[in-house]
Amino acid sequence: MPQIPESSKSRKRLRQEEEEEIRAETSDADQTLSLEESLIFSDTLMALRIIRAQFPSIDKVSIRPFILRSQLYSCVKDRTQVDRELESLLREKVLRIFKLNTGQDDHAIMFLDDYLSQIEHVMKRMEEKKQGDLEVFGWFRTHVIDVKLEHSIHHQELCSLLSNGGKVKDDHISLLINAGLLFQISVQYSRAFLRGERNSYLF
C-alpha cells in the first residue's frame, strides 16, 4: 500500500487548521454582531427606564409615568434606531405610544403595565362615584388596546372592536372620553379634517 508523503500530510493538516480558524472567526463575528445589536436595542430601552425612574412622584396625582419622544431623542443619538426600536417594543406590547393632543409634533411613551394600571385606577375612581357602565373599560382593554397599536382610531372601528365585548352605546364612548382614555380629534386639526377623520379619536 503506497504511503502518503509527509509533506502532503502537513499541507492537509495545515489546510484543516486554516478552515477551523475561519469557522471560529466567523462564529466570533456573528456573536459580536449579535452583542452589538443587543446593546443598541438596550440603549433605547435603558433610556426609557432611566427617564421613567426620574418621573416626579406627586401626592394626589394619579397619572402614571410617561416619557416624551423628544426626551428619548436627547438621550440616544441615533433617532432612526430609536424609532425602529420603539416600533419593535410597540409590536411586542412592551409599551404604548400616544399622539399628544396639544398640536405639538411630539409623542408620549408609556410602558404598557403603567398604562393598564392607569386604566384600573380610573375605573376604580369612577366605580366609587358610580359613573356609568364600567364594563366598557374591560372591553376597551381587551378588544381595543390588545389589537390596535396605532395611536388613533375611527369611531366606526372603535365601536366595532368594543362590540366584541357587548352592545355599544354612546354613553360608553362618552365614558371613555371623560376618563381621559380617548380624545376626540378636533376640527381645528385641519389635516385630520381634510382626511375625513372628524369622527376619530386619539388614545
Side-chain angles (χ1 to χ4, degrees):
M1 182 177 180
Q3 293 185 348
I4 300 175
E6 191 66 30
S7 59
S8 297
K9 290 182 179 179
S10 298
R11 285 197 299 271
K12 184 177 181 181
R13 186 165 54 250
L14 181 61
R15 188 164 57 251
Q16 289 175 340
E17 291 175 354
E18 289 176 348
E19 289 175 354
E20 289 176 359
E21 288 179 3
I22 291 173
R23 283 196 295 269
E25 289 175 359
T26 302
S27 177
D28 290 342
D30 290 342
Q31 291 178 2
T32 301
L33 180 60
S34 177
L35 178 60
E36 288 175 352
E37 289 175 344
S38 297
L39 288 174
I40 290 172
F41 178 83
S42 65
D43 282 346
T44 301
L45 190 56
M46 187 182 302
L48 285 168
R49 287 174 174 161
I50 290 173
I51 299 173
R52 181 195 180 282
Q54 296 174 346
F55 193 85
S57 178
I58 305 174
D59 292 339
K60 298 182 180 180
V61 176
S62 61
I63 189 167
R64 298 301 185 264
F66 65 89
I67 303 100
L68 296 178
R69 189 189 289 258
S70 55
Q71 286 180 291
L72 192 57
Y73 284 157
S74 67
C75 296
V76 184
K77 293 181 179 179
D78 191 339
R79 292 191 175 194
T80 301
Q81 185 68 28
V82 168
D83 291 341
R84 191 157 49 237
E85 300 300 351
L86 284 178
E87 287 300 318
S88 177
L89 290 168
L90 178 64
R91 288 193 301 271
E92 293 172 9
K93 299 180 181 178
V94 175
L95 49 77
R96 296 285 303 187
I97 300 176
F98 307 90
K99 180 73 175 71
L100 295 180
N101 192 30
T102 60
Q104 296 179 342
D105 187 21
D106 205 349
H107 295 80
I109 302 163
M110 184 179 283
F111 282 98
L112 182 60
D113 288 344
D114 288 331
Y115 182 50
L116 296 179
S117 176
Q118 180 75 25
I119 293 175
E120 286 294 325
H121 177 81
V122 171
M123 183 175 168
K124 288 179 180 178
R125 188 183 65 199
M126 290 195 160
E127 188 175 17
E128 291 173 356
K129 296 180 179 180
K130 298 180 180 179
Q131 294 182 340
D133 298 325
L134 301 181
E135 58 189 358
V136 70
F137 288 99
W139 303 347
F140 183 72
R141 175 174 176 168
T142 303
H143 303 296
V144 179
I145 295 174
D146 204 43
V147 300
K148 187 70 175 177
L149 300 181
E150 296 86 351
H151 50 67
S152 65
I153 187 170
H154 193 274
H155 178 81
Q156 186 175 358
E157 183 182 8
L158 174 64
C159 291
S160 176
L161 291 174
L162 288 174
S163 67
N164 290 316
K167 186 176 180 179
V168 182
K169 298 180 290 187
D170 290 341
D171 288 346
H172 287 139
I173 307 299
S174 298
L175 194 61
L176 292 173
I177 293 174
N178 292 335
L181 300 178
L182 290 177
F183 299 92
Q184 193 160 18
I185 294 178
S186 172
V187 174
Q188 66 180 328
Y189 294 102
S190 57
R191 291 180 183 176
F193 182 81
L194 291 173
R195 289 197 303 265
E197 296 179 3
R198 285 164 290 178
N199 294 321
S200 296
Y201 308 92
L202 298 175
F203 72 102

